[in-house]
Amino acid sequence: MSAAPAPPVSEPAWSLSRSAIWLWVTEGIVGTLVYGAIVTVAVLLVPASVGGPVPVLRWLLPVLVGVYAVVAIGIRPWVRYRVHRWEVTAETVHTLTGWLTRTWTLVPVARIQTVDVTRGVLQQLYGLASVAVLTASSQGTVRVPHLEVAVAERVAEDLARRAEQVRDEAT
Amino acid sequence: MTGPGPWPAPTTPVAAPPAPPPPARRTSPLVVLLHTVTFKQARQVVPAAIPVVAAVGIDGPGVVVALVVAVTALSLLFAGLTWWRTTYADTPAAVVVTRGLLARSVRTVPNDRIRGVEVEAPALHRLFGLVRVRIDAAAGVGTDGDEEVVVDGVPRAEGDRLRVSVLTHRRSARPVPPGADPEAPFEEPPEEELARFDPRWLLYAPLVASYLAVPLAAVGALSRLLQELPRDLRPDLDGPELTGGVVAVAVVAGLALLAVGAVLGAAVVNWGFRLVRRGGSLVAVRGLLTRRHTELEVDRVRGGTLAEGLGMRLVRAARVNALVTGLGAANRRGQLFPLGPRPEAVRLLGVLVDDPGPLRPHPPAARRRAVFRAVLSGLVVTAGGAWLSAGTGFWGLLAAGIALTVLGVPLGLGRYAALGHAAGPRSFSVRSGLLVREQAVLQRRAVVGWTVRQTFFQRRAGLATVTACVGAGAGGYAAVDMAAAEVAAFTVAASGPWAAAAGDGAPPAAG
């Protein structure tokens, strides 16, 4: 990547929990195991004598799984951690997510309808939780992934209380 | 899994009933005849009846007559029971509809949730002098979309009374301006006509994909029906000799039929279309066989879209949809201007929402990206074709790839030409789309959030796609590939200073 051009909108300031890196690493390992198992079965069951693209695929697929393992375990978690940012200001909730494709989402506190805290299986392993801030628009949902549980709960509570105070009925 | 239960569910303020509730009313008994004829209720038993019929078998006219009599009697019975068990009442606080043969269901819709009242008169209803009243209500938290309460089959006078009564109650369920009498009967405010149908507009129909689909669907249904007819009932047609002349005539005749079908379909749906503003509502009336009467609250309108299909752009036609909070994009009720000349559509859109000014084109990098994306698949096919022709001498794929690449250029340019955005003092606008070019014009207050997306390549090109999230229509409207440097200024101009999102708070600490 060349020197990153200036971001189109202001960057949120706060990082996720560092445990998020290890959660993403775990996800990468699980994904690699799944793909690896599928490719192993395919290579064992389909003989090279079938012809067509099969001889090529027999070595291409394992290589692809290896590349995936390096990217998903060794690179992506760290890039994601560097990219992901979030911030709650006096008026807005603001996130930046993604790694190759970056998405900023911005929602004013006055338009928040509900705030959800969810904990997936892996998240529970690492003591993490995600906050989802929902608005009247199906596309206007802010998701802050992988915060420490205590932080997530405090943020959700704070947002819900403030949203109730300044709720703008004109959604 | 669920949230911390942030706040108590919003309770609906229901005014204390000042008087004993009005008696429950019944629909007109004539509706029994109507529903007997249309098998409205008896349709549900058809799946159960089929095996019975199959077991008995259809042989001889006696059985057929008995079957017809039985079905009619059954239909009459169901329609009668339904009529007998259905009542409705319009109280000052709510509309209550009670129904159900065995399991009773009581629908109560508080007046302050009622969004509009439609009075419909389908063709058969008109024969009996009846109407159908549709009461639309905003859905509660948690449910999706709209709720609808239908009172089917009341005399026209009663339908109008119900509509006026509901609207009167709805008004008194809201904060009353000082000096106004909340108990004053609902008076129809003066009307202002915004648009009126011109039969010449029907000529646009053959160029609109959705109307062209009408005759095609009819042909499809007809052929399915023919397939399912018993063999001895099927008309025995000899295939005509297929010569060039016959084929040409058939193609021309088919196209002509398609065009006529599209015009007829458009006429059935839109005949006598009229859009008026009556007080705080927009009222649209349309339809040849079924007169549909749609009412939208101006307060809930957040903007509108101007859509022009490829064919419509040739003849400068357009349609307008209103973006109304709580109404999904697929909802036909938002359709304000079904089909007509573009200047008329633009004028109507100006009534819904202020014109934010001329659209600003997107930077040249957006054009490069649009063209590159359009020719990419062609380039891939070309490369594959080159490899193949080098290996085997087969050049068909190579030619197809080159053709695809060349065709991609105008496609990409067309896509780029549609792009644009503008921000005015009270509204903003974004436009995109190749086959259907859609321009959304939205009020500033419509925005409930922003999403800015940059792919790896957009980042390199200094572009970004900005989506305004709206609680109406499709949920979001995007300015595709605008200059990244302009994004912040646009979002602030189109919504408010909060969109700058400058914060200096410290992150919340755990514990």
Side-chain angles (χ1 to χ4, degrees):
Chain A
M1 266 183 283
S2 66
V9 282
S10 70
E11 301 251 351
W14 309 336
S15 302
L16 305 182
S17 162
R18 275 201 80 86
S19 308
I21 298 178
W22 301 109
L23 186 140
W24 282 320
V25 167
T26 314
E27 278 180 1
I29 292 172
V30 171
T32 306
L33 289 178
V34 170
Y35 290 131
I38 292 173
V39 167
T40 311
V41 168
V43 168
L44 287 180
L45 290 188
V46 184
S49 55
V50 171
V54 169
V56 182
L57 287 180
R58 275 174 72 92
W59 61 263
L60 187 61
L61 286 179
V63 168
L64 283 180
V65 170
V67 170
Y68 175 83
V70 170
V71 171
I73 300 171
I75 301 175
R76 197 172 60 182
W78 276 269
V79 177
R80 267 194 183 158
Y81 181 75
R82 274 184 47 203
V83 171
H84 277 248
R85 288 277 184 281
W86 68 290
E87 188 170 359
V88 179
T89 69
E91 287 182 297
T92 58
V93 188
H94 190 185
T95 58
L96 167 55
T97 55
W99 70 298
L100 291 180
T101 294
R102 304 203 174 154
T103 307
W104 288 257
T105 316
L106 185 67
V107 163
V109 174
R111 300 303 179 88
I112 293 175
Q113 287 196 331
T114 45
V115 186
D116 287 354
V117 178
T118 55
R119 301 187 65 189
V121 177
L122 278 182
Q123 284 184 321
Q124 293 186 24
L125 216 62
Y126 289 98
L128 297 175
S130 298
V131 177
V133 177
L134 283 83
T135 65
S137 160
S138 53
Q139 299 189 24
T141 300
V142 175
R143 291 176 203 283
V144 190
H146 310 327
L147 298 176
E148 278 147 39
V149 173
V151 175
E153 279 172 357
R154 279 185 45 182
V155 167
E157 204 175 310
D158 170 58
L159 282 177
R161 190 175 40 76
R162 278 163 54 190
E164 195 180 10
Q165 284 165 2
V166 296
R167 181 97 63 102
D168 188 345
E169 289 299 336
T171 45
Chain B
M1 186 63 207
T2 53
W7 50 76
T11 47
T12 12
V14 176
R25 295 163 190 268
R26 275 180 204 284
T27 52
S28 161
L30 283 174
V31 79
V32 176
L33 285 179
L34 187 81
H35 286 167
T36 306
V37 176
T38 57
F39 303 110
K40 186 173 161 68
Q41 288 85 14
R43 264 179 238 162
Q44 297 160 6
V45 298
V46 166
I50 285 175
V52 174
V53 173
V56 173
I58 303 177
D59 31 63
V63 176
V64 172
V65 168
L67 210 62
V68 167
V69 169
V71 167
T72 310
L74 203 66
S75 181
L76 183 66
L77 179 73
F78 273 109
L81 280 175
T82 307
W83 171 78
W84 176 55
R85 296 293 276 168
T86 303
T87 60
Y88 67 94
D90 49 304
T91 71
V95 175
V96 184
V97 176
T98 311
R99 71 174 83 221
L101 292 183
L102 298 172
R104 303 287 278 164
S105 95
V106 182
R107 271 315 264 299
T108 305
V109 181
N111 280 324
D112 60 347
R113 290 248 312 276
I114 290 173
R115 210 167 267 183
V117 185
E118 286 181 46
V119 180
E120 292 178 348
L124 260 178
H125 281 64
R126 262 187 276 177
L127 213 61
F128 289 100
L130 299 179
V131 293
R132 185 192 292 154
V133 181
R134 229 176 250 282
I135 299 167
D136 289 297
V141 179
T143 48
D144 234 3
D146 278 356
E147 283 176 28
E148 198 175 56
V149 176
V150 180
V151 179
D152 194 0
V154 291
R156 173 156 278 287
E158 166 63 10
D160 287 340
R161 184 207 65 81
L162 183 61
R163 179 171 161 271
V164 169
S165 153
V166 168
L167 291 178
T168 306
H169 292 150
R170 181 183 69 169
R171 199 191 45 171
S172 57
R174 310 201 157 173
V176 181
D181 176 11
E183 294 304 316
F186 178 81
E187 285 164 27
E188 298 279 355
E191 289 188 353
E192 178 198 352
E193 185 171 271
L194 299 177
R196 175 186 278 280
F197 187 72
D198 184 335
R200 280 176 299 177
W201 297 351
L202 289 176
L203 295 179
Y204 292 132
L207 292 168
V208 184
S210 54
Y211 292 123
L212 274 179
V214 174
L216 286 179
V219 168
L222 201 65
S223 72
R224 268 224 347 246
L225 193 68
L226 280 179
Q227 294 277 319
E228 288 182 7
L229 275 181
R231 187 163 294 275
D232 48 340
L233 287 181
R234 227 181 278 173
D236 195 17
L237 296 178
D238 288 327
E241 297 279 315
L242 281 182
T243 61
V246 170
V247 170
V249 167
V251 166
V252 169
L255 285 179
L257 271 179
L258 210 59
V260 170
V263 169
L264 283 181
V268 166
V269 181
N270 297 322
W271 190 261
F273 169 79
R274 200 164 158 263
L275 179 70
V276 298
R277 183 177 11 214
R278 192 189 288 151
S281 304
L282 292 171
V283 184
V285 186
R286 80 188 79 190
L288 185 63
L289 301 176
T290 301
R291 288 297 277 173
R292 282 184 71 87
H293 178 121
T294 317
E295 203 159 333
L296 294 175
E297 274 178 80
V298 174
D299 268 357
R300 292 190 174 273
V301 173
R302 292 290 175 271
T305 58
L306 182 84
E308 305 160 87
L310 204 58
M312 292 159 83
R313 289 210 290 278
L314 286 177
V315 291
R316 295 184 59 73
R319 68 168 86 201
V320 175
N321 275 36
L323 300 175
V324 184
T325 56
L327 275 191
N331 201 309
R332 239 172 40 141
R333 293 195 308 133
Q335 235 184 62
L336 278 196
F337 187 67
L339 182 63
R342 194 172 189 279
E344 189 87 350
V346 170
R347 187 184 60 76
L348 190 62
L349 192 62
V351 173
L352 288 182
V353 51
D354 289 336
D355 182 14
L359 292 176
R360 293 159 53 104
H362 288 187
R367 176 168 44 213
R368 283 197 295 276
R369 182 160 188 260
V371 172
F372 179 71
R373 284 165 65 96
V375 300
L376 186 63
S377 60
L379 287 178
V380 169
V381 174
T382 308
W387 184 64
L388 199 67
S389 66
T392 65
F394 176 73
W395 53 268
L397 196 64
L398 183 65
I402 292 173
L404 263 180
T405 311
V406 172
L407 279 179
V409 174
L411 225 64
L413 289 178
R415 212 177 271 282
Y416 169 76
L419 299 181
H421 68 274
R426 281 206 296 274
S427 61
F428 67 98
S429 176
V430 296
R431 189 178 72 179
S432 63
L434 177 67
L435 287 180
V436 176
R437 179 180 288 185
E438 189 182 61
Q439 178 179 7
V441 186
L442 292 155
Q443 299 165 358
R444 281 173 65 118
R445 61 171 179 159
V447 181
V448 302
W450 290 101
T451 302
V452 181
R453 185 179 288 270
Q454 267 191 318
T455 63
F456 179 74
F457 297 105
Q458 277 180 312
R459 215 157 48 236
R460 301 290 296 267
L463 300 172
T465 294
V466 181
T467 307
C469 306
V470 196
Y477 291 90
V480 180
D481 284 345
M482 64 186 284
E486 291 176 16
V487 170
F490 174 67
T491 55
V492 170
S495 58
W498 59 263
D504 49 4

